[in-house]
């Protein structure tokens, strides 16, 4: 019996319970998974009082940075990006990790995108750092558009190989300067940038949001013939990676992914 949950706030919109229950069903695993409202500042208390009820916990906003304060084993990548989305038990101990980056790279590869010259990340929070850490392996340069200069150092630390450029948020930008654009901002935050989408857009847009969908930016991108990858793909791949941390590699992974994609889009 595997017991899991997704923690965050707000949490009612989360598709994680649907995803993880579908994984259990496909793999013929007895398991349960629920969504639990845990607000900013409440994670340590929840983990201390209820953590051992679960085998693993998925973390969403606003807990991805707060989780770094827990007294658990933290892997080196998670330390570097200072963002986590997975707590799991192994050999009697709790471990903290992130599957956002690996899920992001797999979702891109599924669409045939594996290498970039120049990538643009919209937003500078925990998900942006996970994306930056992943792109560090596959993009020669990474530009981040953020609202606060206080995030610059953390993003710089997440990037070890690629050239890094941090820009303060601006109402317009030339998307054609890049061959990948990733939106990690909350719903609505990047709406005004839709006015900057050219008549025919070349780079793909990866928008990590999946509800509400499409975002204003994604709709504008699609209207101009651009390739758009939505957050369901990230949710799918990072969720499978979470399960593999518990049970090891899944031999029927491709079939599972196909099944989950149909489930989430139905």
């Amino acid at each position: 019996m595997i017991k899991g949950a997704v923690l965050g706030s707000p949490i009612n919109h989360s598709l994680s319970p649907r995803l993880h229950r579908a994984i259990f069903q496909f793999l013929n695993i007895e398991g349960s998974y629920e969504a639990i409202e845990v607000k900013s500042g409440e994670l340590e208390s929840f983990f201390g009082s209820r953590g051992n009820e679960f085998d693993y916990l998925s973390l969403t906003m606003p807990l991805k940075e707060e989780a770094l304060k827990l007294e658990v084993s933290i892997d080196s990548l998670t330390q570097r990006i200072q963002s986590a989305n997975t707590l799991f038990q192994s050999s009697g101990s709790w471990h903290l990790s992130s599957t956002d980056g690996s899920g992001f790279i797999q979702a891109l590869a599924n669409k045939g995108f594996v290498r970039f010259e120049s990538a643009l990340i919209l937003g500078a929070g925990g998900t942006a750092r996970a994306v930056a850490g992943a792109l560090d392996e596959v993009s020669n340069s990474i530009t981040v558009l953020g609202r606060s200069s206080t995030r610059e150092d953390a993003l710089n630390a997440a990037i070890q190989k690629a050239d890094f450029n941090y820009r303060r948020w601006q109402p317009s930008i030339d998307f054609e300067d890049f061959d990948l654009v990733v939106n990690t901002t909350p719903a609505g935050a990047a709406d005004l940038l839709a006015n900057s989408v050219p008549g025919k857009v070349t780079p793909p847009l990866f928008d990590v949001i999946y509800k509400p969908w499409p975002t204003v930016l994604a709709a504008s991108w699609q209207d101009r013939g651009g390739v758009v990858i939505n957050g369901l793909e990230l949710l799918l791949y990072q969720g499978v990676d979470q399960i593999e941390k518990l049970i090891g590699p899944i031999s029927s992974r491709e079939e599972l992914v196909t099944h989950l994609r149909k489930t989430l889009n139905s």
Side-chain angles (χ1 to χ4, degrees):
M1 175 73 176
I2 294 177
K3 188 172 182 180
V6 58
L7 313 180
S9 180
I11 203 65
N12 292 336
H13 72 287
S14 177
L15 290 179
S16 289
R18 185 177 175 187
L19 172 72
H20 286 258
R21 291 167 189 166
I23 294 173
F24 295 153
Q25 183 180 37
F26 182 89
L27 297 176
N28 198 27
I29 292 173
E30 185 179 358
S32 67
Y33 191 97
E34 59 186 308
I36 302 175
E37 183 88 9
V38 177
K39 299 177 181 178
S40 178
E42 296 179 349
L43 179 59
E44 185 176 6
S45 175
F46 176 89
F47 186 67
S49 62
R50 297 193 57 193
N52 284 328
E53 296 177 21
F54 303 92
D55 297 291
Y56 73 113
L57 295 165
S58 307
L59 306 173
T60 187
M61 300 303 292
L63 307 177
K64 291 187 176 185
E65 297 170 71
E66 190 172 322
L68 276 296
K69 300 176 183 177
L70 298 176
E71 293 185 5
V72 297
S73 175
I74 306 174
D75 65 43
S76 59
L77 174 62
T78 303
Q79 285 279 20
R80 176 159 61 90
I81 65 175
Q82 287 290 289
S83 176
N85 76 334
T86 311
L87 276 161
F88 65 100
Q89 292 205 63
S90 177
S91 302
S93 300
W94 277 98
H95 302 264
L96 185 65
S97 187
S98 175
T99 62
D100 280 333
S102 60
F104 169 75
I105 292 297
Q106 291 172 77
L108 282 171
N110 179 63
K111 297 295 184 180
F113 301 108
V114 296
R115 188 76 206 179
F116 308 94
E117 180 60 37
S118 180
L120 171 67
I121 301 172
L122 307 177
T127 302
R129 290 198 300 277
V131 167
L135 284 175
D136 192 35
E137 299 292 331
V138 298
S139 183
N140 292 333
S141 70
I142 300 170
T143 297
V144 174
L145 199 64
R147 296 186 180 277
S148 170
S149 60
T150 59
R151 300 277 188 170
E152 182 175 355
D153 289 345
L155 279 153
N156 193 24
I159 298 168
Q160 296 182 328
K161 300 176 182 178
D163 294 332
F164 173 63
N165 180 36
Y166 189 90
R167 299 186 193 176
R168 291 296 296 273
W169 194 268
Q170 55 199 69
S172 63
I173 191 165
D174 189 349
F175 289 119
E176 292 298 310
D177 287 343
F178 308 92
D179 54 4
L180 173 69
V181 178
V182 186
N183 179 30
T184 70
T185 65
D191 286 359
L192 289 178
L193 290 178
N195 296 326
S196 296
V197 180
K200 182 172 177 56
V201 63
T202 303
L205 169 68
F206 197 127
D207 198 324
V208 303
I209 295 170
Y210 61 81
K211 190 174 182 180
W213 187 261
T215 62
V216 172
L217 181 61
S220 180
W221 215 273
Q222 289 173 324
D223 288 346
R224 288 160 175 80
V227 174
V228 175
I229 305 170
N230 77 21
L232 284 179
E233 290 292 301
L234 174 57
L235 178 72
L236 186 164
Y237 283 105
Q238 61 84 26
V240 172
D241 283 358
Q242 287 181 334
I243 293 295
E244 288 191 327
K245 288 187 176 297
L246 289 176
I247 68 172
I250 298 169
S251 59
S252 56
R253 201 176 201 275
E254 288 188 16
E255 293 88 344
L256 172 60
V257 166
T258 299
H259 171 73
L260 295 175
R261 187 174 289 114
K262 291 178 180 178
T263 300
L264 292 177
N265 284 294
S266 63

